[in-house]
Amino acid sequence: MASADEYDLLVIGAGSGGVRAARVAAGHGAKVAIAEEHRIGGTCVIRGCVPKKLLVYGAHFAEDLEDAARFGWKIEGAKFDWPTLRDNVLAEVTRLSGLYAQTLQSHGVQVLEGHAKLTGNRSARIGDREIHARVILIASGARPHVPDEPGCEYGITSNEAFHLEKIPRRVVIAGGGYIANEFAGIFNEFGSQVTIINRSDKILRGYDEQIRDRLLQISLTKGIRFLFNAPIDHVTKDPEGTLAVCLASGDEIECDTLMFATGRIPNTEDLGLEAAGVELDNKGAIKVDDQNRSSNPNVYAVGDVTNRIQLTPVAIREGQAFADTIFGNKSTQVDYNCVPSAVFSHPPLAGVGLTESQARNQLGSVRVYTSDFRPMKNVLAGRNERALYKLVVDNASGRVVGAHMIGPDAPEIMQIVAVAVKAGLTKEQFDQCVAIHPTMAEELVLLK
């Protein structure tokens, strides 16, 4: 038997977190290999954030073209062609995946194609190849959850949504989180009849209640249907391909496509974790300490496979911190406080810090400042859709502990607001900043 290949670091999974860790570790002088059984880039690049955001851009032209007439533009004969958008998006995904591969190559990281499985504390097998590594990092990500009720195999997930042959006339989306609401907006703008069914009575748990209620009201106005407390009992499919989604209540919804957005499951199966003594939590995620170390001191994990905060920028920070700590002689920990996030719905929303209810529970006395307004563009377009901005302030210190908003470009505005909230700026300091007029963002420094 041939001797095993020896590395300082073996990374399992070439997504955003794994690629960052591999690149930085190699930059610190480590001999690094990265194993990937699919395409380099992971969920975000291949089947997540990037292609999703491109679909959001494409979908928004439906409203832009509608609004254009009020701005003097006469557009005749405009029509949407799904295959053109789909194929252009997939081509961009391929380009970005290639750039990720080039980055690894330029840093001397060896890419090993195939499924990696741990065989011991510091060893793994990829096909018929035995790998030994001083340190192993698992960055295998997560995958969409599909319920196991009868007939659910007829549905798709966000993975398959990017490859549809055509836009379905009727879509049922199961779930109430960000993926469900984002794709509801996308399909709705493309002309589908969209129904969201949710097991609970709320959408977007974790976001400020006032903001998510505003999205619900706007979505209803746009024609998206919501059914709450509506778990699926079973799904049937007729010879023509029409699906019947049968709910526990006895109600039945016919559709052409059923999409599941019911959470994500860490990819920890068939990785040989038991052989390596790596412990999992009750949701199947790898348990790690604040240095990303698992119960095996030679095995680390970052990103969605740890089920901490399932966001690409968090996985990248974790990969960077791991590499700097283990190979750069620079102990680094990720600060999970005040992590901003966004939902690219129609319109988008974003938030950072404590929601109003969280602040009241944790701090007791808080002040809440809001601005409920119609953006200038919407006014001239004759669109009644309103934006809502909100700052949550600790009454004792005057510090802004939360910022939440829904409206055009909310995620773009929130990115810099998150710097101020994380820095602990006060409401008075917000007020001292001179407004840029006329903008939507100026509302944040004019709140009374």
Side-chain angles (χ1 to χ4, degrees):
M1 182 176 177
S3 61
D5 294 325
E6 300 280 347
Y7 294 93
D8 296 312
L9 171 64
L10 170 65
V11 180
I12 299 177
S16 297
V19 167
R20 174 60 66 89
R23 176 177 68 79
V24 175
H28 288 313
K31 182 182 180 183
V32 182
I34 189 167
E36 177 55 62
E37 57 184 309
H38 300 301
R39 297 171 69 185
I40 293 174
T43 294
C44 179
V45 171
I46 306 300
R47 64 194 77 85
C49 328
V50 171
K52 180 267 311 279
K53 184 70 178 291
L54 292 173
L55 291 190
V56 169
Y57 282 135
H60 214 286
F61 278 102
E63 292 183 1
D64 290 340
L65 290 170
E66 190 177 276
D67 294 346
R70 293 275 300 187
F71 288 86
W73 291 91
K74 297 185 183 301
I75 301 173
E76 298 178 0
K79 66 176 184 178
F80 174 64
D81 183 64
W82 163 248
T84 297
L85 175 60
R86 177 198 63 203
D87 294 349
N88 285 340
V89 168
L90 294 178
E92 175 63 6
V93 164
T94 298
R95 185 185 75 85
L96 291 173
S97 178
L99 290 178
Y100 267 57
Q102 289 177 25
T103 296
L104 291 171
Q105 183 180 17
S106 67
H107 283 80
V109 177
Q110 184 172 359
V111 177
L112 307 175
E113 297 182 3
H115 178 76
K117 186 172 183 177
L118 302 185
T119 55
N121 285 340
R122 296 181 176 178
S123 60
R125 180 170 291 279
I126 304 171
D128 58 359
R129 191 170 184 173
E130 188 75 17
I131 306 293
H132 284 177
R134 181 166 62 87
V135 176
I136 296 174
L137 175 68
I138 299 174
S140 51
R143 66 186 184 278
H145 166 263
V146 176
D148 57 5
E149 279 78 12
C152 285
E153 65 272 14
Y154 298 131
I156 67 169
T157 68
S158 55
N159 288 358
E160 295 77 39
F162 302 107
H163 301 271
L164 291 172
E165 290 187 13
K166 61 181 180 179
I167 294 297
R169 184 170 63 88
R170 300 165 299 177
V171 180
V172 170
I173 301 176
Y178 72 95
I179 295 175
N181 284 277
E182 288 171 343
F183 274 95
I186 290 168
F187 282 123
N188 182 67
E189 297 295 333
F190 288 157
S192 300
Q193 182 184 36
V194 180
T195 302
I196 285 183
I197 57 174
N198 192 17
R199 294 178 63 91
S200 73
D201 60 353
K202 290 182 175 63
I203 63 171
L204 297 172
R205 284 180 303 171
Y207 284 89
D208 188 85
E209 187 171 359
Q210 199 173 0
I211 301 297
R212 68 192 191 204
D213 283 351
R214 176 61 58 89
L215 177 63
L216 176 60
Q217 294 306 316
I218 292 175
S219 297
L220 288 168
T221 301
K222 290 179 184 289
I224 299 173
R225 183 186 179 202
F226 289 80
L227 296 178
F228 294 107
N229 300 310
I232 293 176
D233 183 76
H234 65 279
V235 181
T236 62
K237 184 177 183 179
D238 71 15
E240 285 72 42
T242 298
L243 301 179
V245 182
C246 305
L247 305 178
S249 63
D251 293 335
E252 183 177 297
I253 311 169
E254 286 195 348
C255 64
D256 306 297
T257 296
L258 167 63
M259 177 176 161
F260 291 105
T262 49
R264 297 180 64 79
I265 303 172
N267 287 323
T268 51
E269 295 87 352
D270 197 31
L271 289 180
L273 299 181
E274 186 175 342
V278 176
E279 294 181 6
L280 305 180
D281 66 16
N282 58 6
K283 293 186 178 179
I286 296 176
K287 290 163 49 171
V288 293
D289 62 17
D290 55 13
Q291 297 284 346
N292 299 298
R293 184 186 289 108
S294 77
S295 53
N296 179 331
N298 305 311
V299 178
Y300 295 71
V302 298
D304 292 359
V305 75
T306 66
N307 198 27
R308 286 175 285 184
I309 299 179
Q310 292 190 344
L311 292 172
T312 295
V314 172
I316 291 172
R317 286 289 182 95
E318 291 171 350
Q320 177 87 41
F322 157 80
D324 284 341
T325 299
I326 304 304
F327 296 100
N329 197 29
K330 179 185 174 184
S331 182
T332 307
Q333 293 184 15
V334 177
D335 183 0
Y336 296 99
N337 183 46
C338 276
V339 173
S341 61
V343 180
F344 294 97
S345 44
H346 281 75
L349 61 87
V352 67
L354 301 178
T355 66
E356 180 180 348
S357 61
Q358 289 170 341
R360 293 191 186 282
N361 288 336
Q362 294 182 30
L363 304 174
S365 179
V366 300
R367 285 173 281 141
V368 177
Y369 298 83
T370 60
S371 179
D372 190 336
F373 64 99
R374 195 152 62 123
M376 182 185 291
K377 182 183 175 184
N378 287 355
V379 173
L380 191 59
R383 188 175 292 278
N384 290 323
E385 195 172 293
R386 300 180 68 84
L388 177 62
Y389 291 2
K390 182 173 185 177
L391 294 181
V392 182
V393 178
D394 175 18
N395 205 34
S397 65
R399 188 167 58 90
V400 177
V401 295
H404 312 278
M405 60 177 65
I406 181 171
D409 297 322
E412 303 288 347
I413 299 169
M414 182 56 69
Q415 179 62 85
I416 196 62
V417 175
V419 175
V421 175
K422 190 170 183 63
L425 297 191
T426 64
K427 176 64 167 60
E428 183 180 5
Q429 289 171 309
F430 270 70
D431 296 342
Q432 289 171 354
C433 184
V434 176
I436 300 174
H437 182 75
T439 64
M440 294 178 291
E442 69 179 305
E443 295 294 328
L444 290 164
V445 298
L446 298 175
L447 294 172
K448 302 299 181 186

